Amino acid sequence: MEITYITDPIFYMAAVPAMLIVGISKGGFAGTLGMLGVPIITLVISPIQAAAIILPILCTMDILGLIAYRRKADWVNLSCMVPGAIVGIFLGAVFFKYLNDDFIRILVGVIALLFTLNHWLKIKIAKGEVGPSFLKGSFWGSLSGFTSFIAHAGGPPLQFYMLPQKINKTLFVGTSVWFFFIINYVKLIPYAYLGQFSTENLGTSLLLAPLAPIGIWLGVKLHKLVPEELFYKLAYVLLFITGLKLLWDGRAGLIQFF
């Protein structure tokens, strides 16, 4: 089997910085903006192909993250979220073939805009300090699994569930690392079943794979050098602009859907 890869230089102008941003976010800034990868790459290729190319790279990053956080996780919260996430992944796989590129662009764009607006407007998700809940964990976990399957955008639902609990920062990051390690590797099965791992997609993933350790290494270094507030200000602006662009590009699909 001959391995091929995308040769368009415009693709790599988007893919290389996107993957570095994802790695930097995972390595030094709690992975909050890991969802930024798909929207950026979706500007130049199909969102379905973008998701397939990114998944193996995310799996590589997850292993690197797990090395640092293998013993740091809230296992009670994981037990509340993971079953629902697997259900969400299954639903994503079932409905995946019914979603065209434009609809997925709109979905990713809406998630990006809601995520940034929630951050900028400081919307309070819950009052007071709450604890783990299987019901809430299943709901947000299933939503995280679904959006993660469609566009690797499972971060916001997980944060909506976890942040109100105000757990230790390191434990929060470790729980997130374990959660996405599990669901990303589960996603490999339906992605393969749906034929997402073509020789071109796998070849392109392999070509971009070295960016995983580089991005995480940069994240660790920049965590000490770059103010976290500045990094997030720039990243959220970029995410918001990207979300607007995706909504504009997918407007034809929205009209057709309704």
Side-chain angles (χ1 to χ4, degrees), residues 18-19 28 70 134 145 178-179 197 232 248:
M19 289 298 91
R70 61 188 180 277
F134 183 78
W178 269 101
F179 179 77
F197 295 134
Y232 278 116
W248 177 259

Side-chain angles (χ1 to χ4, degrees), residues 148-172:
S148 180
F149 183 87
I150 298 298
H152 304 316
L158 176 136
Q159 292 181 356
F160 292 161
Y161 169 70
M162 291 284 295
L163 287 177
Q165 298 183 38
K166 300 177 182 178
I167 65 174
N168 173 271
K169 179 178 69 173
T170 302
L171 197 61
F172 176 87

Side-chain angles (χ1 to χ4, degrees), residues 81-124:
M81 292 185 295
V82 170
I86 294 175
V87 173
I89 291 171
F90 173 78
L91 292 175
V94 170
F95 290 104
F96 191 69
K97 63 180 179 180
Y98 299 108
L99 305 178
N100 61 31
D101 287 348
D102 283 330
F103 184 85
I104 295 177
R105 285 189 179 96
I106 292 166
L107 177 63
V108 177
V110 169
I111 292 172
L113 293 181
L114 290 177
F115 191 42
T116 50
L117 289 174
N118 176 73
H119 173 76
W120 287 336
L121 299 176
K122 305 297 183 184
I123 299 173
K124 293 184 178 181

